[in-house]
Amino acid sequence: MTYKLIDLFSGAGGMSLGFVDSRFCGGFKCVLAVDNDKAALETHAANFSGKTVLGNIEHWLAENPNVPKADVVIGGPPCQGFSLLNKNRSGDLRRALWEPYLDIVELSEAKIFVMENVSELYRSDELVQIRQQAERMGFRTDAMVLNAADYGAPQTRKRTVVVGWRNKDVEAPVFPPPRTHASSDLKTDLPAWRTVKEAISDLGEPRGTEIGVGAPLDLHFGRNPTEKSLKRYRAVPPGGNRFDLMRNARHITPACWIRKTSGGTDLFGRLWWDRPSVTIRTEFFKPEKGRYLHPVKHRPITHREAARLMGFPDDFIFKGGKTEIAKQIGNAVPPNLAGAIAAMVKASLDGDVSKKSAKIPWRLEAPIGETVSA
């Protein structure tokens, strides 16, 4: 059976990919995606079926749209809606964006919803409100902070995941999904976290400075650094950061970094070959924003490398310009994590929880670095 899926605040569709693509989970079909980012929604439309709605979700709901029926609603309301992260909302009469999300859960008659967001949501007052509202709608809920590296993504990205289910309609899901990978520091039989080397070491030198044609090199382009930037890159040793730059080349270290003697250990840092990536954010192409220098090359990581570190297979189609695509990659849910959640949801909808069918299939190893023929 194929279940119907609605993806809200969908972005490029990293979460949809985990649900829809059989390399991650499969068994779902996206019938609606809503987002206010035009390029991201074009990316979603290029990879998935179903209707797309571009615009503000509140304005769209105010038009009394015909919300399609669905089995599952997924999505991550932007973190600006959470009081813990935006403390200046006093007097702001706008609804938090999780509210229209739950309105669509109700209108679609979904049996299960999955909401994800930054890890800080877990200890916020707003999470209490979300769960209370879901309970009033007839849902039981559970929430936890999950690490994408535990589910096969070559990236340590922690996200709060909230799962709600209508207890009268479906079997309670096994939450969290069983891990498929673990830190090598732990004593476990699980495979070790996947590393940067596994994800990107087969890629050669970047090709040009613009988006090209044909995966994977279409997004494997470089930049035009100044000579000063190149000298800075060369001053950072394997695993190093801005403090190494300051020690090795103080004369070309930004003054603001010299004045700031603590914190920011990832700024201008190199990724490690033998570890997962740090969290990939929207400006990964700027090493001054984080640990985004290649492990051994004197350059930042490319868009293709960032996409692989997020867990996107090479045949995923991105639309838009360089900055727009970077934003889509940095804002995405790692498909491996989404696939683990999807398998859990599918087991609940199938009534198969007791058979532990939520265990993640080992074919999740395939997508990174593999371009699949159509």
Side-chain angles (χ1 to χ4, degrees):
M1 180 176 180
T2 300
Y3 296 106
K4 293 180 180 179
L5 175 79
I6 291 176
D7 193 350
L8 304 177
F9 309 97
S10 64
M15 202 163 184
S16 283
L17 187 65
F19 276 75
V20 171
D21 194 312
S22 62
R23 291 171 293 178
F24 297 95
C25 179
F28 295 85
K29 177 182 179 180
C30 189
V31 296
L32 173 67
V34 182
D35 202 280
N36 62 3
D37 184 324
K38 184 175 184 292
L41 207 57
E42 288 175 355
T43 293
H44 198 285
N47 292 279
F48 308 102
S49 61
K51 179 182 179 181
T52 57
V53 173
L54 174 65
N56 179 289
I57 191 171
E58 283 275 60
H59 296 165
W60 180 65
L61 275 175
E63 297 171 359
N64 296 310
N66 182 21
V67 176
K69 302 306 177 189
D71 300 290
V72 185
V73 173
I74 61 174
C79 56
Q80 289 90 331
F82 298 124
S83 56
L84 183 68
L85 305 174
N86 184 357
K87 297 179 180 179
N88 298 319
R89 291 191 68 222
S90 57
D92 186 346
L93 299 180
R94 294 173 300 171
R95 296 200 302 166
L97 290 173
W98 58 264
E99 295 179 86
Y101 174 103
L102 289 179
D103 288 345
I104 292 176
V105 170
E106 188 79 350
L107 291 168
S108 69
E109 300 179 8
K111 300 179 181 68
I112 297 180
F113 71 82
V114 179
M115 186 184 296
E116 65 80 35
N117 216 284
V118 292
S119 58
E120 290 86 350
L121 170 65
Y122 186 73
R123 299 193 183 280
S124 71
D125 292 338
E126 206 127 1
L127 178 58
V128 176
Q129 297 170 31
I130 291 168
R131 297 183 70 172
Q132 288 174 342
Q133 177 60 21
E135 184 177 349
R136 286 192 288 268
M137 293 165 53
F139 285 86
R140 291 182 61 191
T141 63
D142 203 350
M144 186 170 288
V145 177
L146 303 182
N147 187 345
D150 288 338
Y151 298 95
Q155 178 184 162
T156 53
R157 189 183 191 93
K158 294 182 178 180
R159 304 292 284 181
T160 295
V161 176
V162 186
V163 178
W165 65 96
R166 294 186 190 273
N167 206 37
K168 65 182 179 64
D169 294 333
V170 293
E171 203 173 341
V174 175
F175 184 74
R179 294 181 300 163
T180 59
H181 296 71
S183 168
S184 57
D185 295 334
L186 300 178
K187 293 181 179 180
T188 174
D189 293 332
L190 292 174
W193 281 344
R194 301 174 77 185
T195 66
V196 170
K197 189 170 187 177
E198 288 179 70
I200 69 171
S201 62
D202 65 305
L203 292 168
E205 291 300 318
R207 185 173 67 179
T209 58
E210 300 298 329
I211 297 172
V213 177
L217 298 182
D218 55 339
L219 297 184
H220 193 51
F221 54 84
R223 304 184 74 195
N224 285 313
T226 65
E227 185 57 36
K228 179 183 281 188
S229 291
L230 287 171
K231 289 179 180 179
R232 287 172 173 168
Y233 301 160
R234 295 187 186 108
V236 180
N241 55 33
R242 70 180 179 93
F243 294 108
D244 295 284
L245 170 63
M246 187 165 60
R247 282 189 290 270
N248 297 332
R250 189 180 181 89
H251 63 292
I252 55 173
T253 301
C256 60
W257 290 357
I258 293 175
R259 290 193 298 269
K260 185 175 176 58
T261 58
S262 63
T265 58
D266 276 339
L267 295 181
F268 224 76
R270 286 193 184 277
L271 293 167
W272 296 274
W273 273 137
D274 59 351
R275 305 183 194 180
S277 165
V278 298
T279 297
I280 298 296
R281 304 191 189 280
T282 58
E283 292 186 299
F284 57 78
F285 50 89
K286 297 179 180 180
E288 64 271 20
K289 297 290 186 177
R291 189 173 290 276
Y292 299 136
L293 285 175
H294 189 278
V296 294
K297 305 290 185 181
H298 300 309
R299 60 172 177 80
I301 57 173
T302 68
H303 283 51
R304 175 57 66 197
E305 288 165 339
R308 284 192 177 185
L309 293 172
M310 187 63 72
F312 283 104
D314 288 347
D315 59 352
F316 188 85
I317 301 166
F318 287 96
K319 296 289 187 178
K322 292 189 286 187
T323 302
E324 291 169 322
I325 291 174
K327 181 180 176 183
Q328 293 169 39
I329 293 169
N331 283 336
V333 177
N336 298 75
L337 174 59
I341 296 167
M344 173 196 73
V345 170
K346 188 173 186 299
S348 181
L349 291 169
D350 287 344
D352 206 18
V353 171
S354 60
K355 297 179 182 178
K356 298 184 179 180
S357 62
K359 185 172 177 61
I360 314 306
W362 289 114
R363 62 177 176 273
L364 277 177
E365 294 290 349
I368 290 183
E370 175 186 330
T371 302
V372 180
S373 300

